[in-house]
Amino acid sequence: MEAIKMINLGVRFLLEILALVIFGYWGFRISQGTMMKIGLGIGTPLLAAVVWGMFGSPKAPYLLSGIPFLLLEIIIFGLPAIALYFTGKHGLAFIYGLITIINLVLLKVWKQ
């Protein structure tokens, strides 16, 4: 069982990285003009990384807990599914969303 829990934590890390990649992809695909593409394509993942690093990561200096932490998780890990959907990647949005929900539920059940 411990091996499965470790795999779940690994999946969580991969979801964090994938969220940043998706935010960047969304920023470059959704915007018009070179400056907007660069701004959103780089700025969105950078903003998400800073917010997660400050308030959500295990070693965050201002770690949230309870409902605020759950809301932050939903925003950081839920928005990439919405971003994929709006870029026309409906199947990938569903798969990412499903994996994220399963991972989040297992994290809560196993108190990870």
Side-chain angles (χ1 to χ4, degrees):
M1 187 59 137
E2 290 302 316
I4 294 173
K5 289 181 179 181
M6 291 302 292
I7 290 171
N8 193 49
L9 288 175
V11 168
R12 172 58 168 241
F13 177 71
L14 291 176
L15 287 172
E16 290 175 11
I17 300 301
L18 193 54
L20 298 176
V21 170
I22 292 169
F23 282 137
Y25 176 76
W26 170 83
F28 282 111
R29 295 280 297 167
I30 203 75
S31 53
Q32 302 288 331
T34 304
M35 292 308 291
M36 282 297 289
K37 286 181 185 288
I38 292 171
L40 288 175
I42 295 172
T44 306
L46 184 61
L47 177 64
V50 168
V51 168
W52 183 251
M54 292 294 293
F55 302 107
S57 71
K59 294 183 179 182
Y62 308 105
L63 184 61
L64 299 176
S65 62
I67 298 298
F69 181 71
L70 180 61
L71 292 175
L72 179 64
E73 283 182 313
I74 290 170
I75 291 168
I76 295 293
F77 294 103
L79 284 179
I82 295 168
L84 279 174
Y85 184 82
F86 281 113
T87 56
K89 306 293 184 189
H90 303 134
L92 290 176
F94 176 77
I95 292 168
Y96 174 85
L98 183 64
I99 292 171
T100 300
I101 290 169
I102 292 169
N103 180 259
L104 182 60
V105 168
L106 291 176
L107 284 170
K108 299 304 176 195
V109 168
W110 290 333
K111 295 178 175 52
Q112 291 182 299

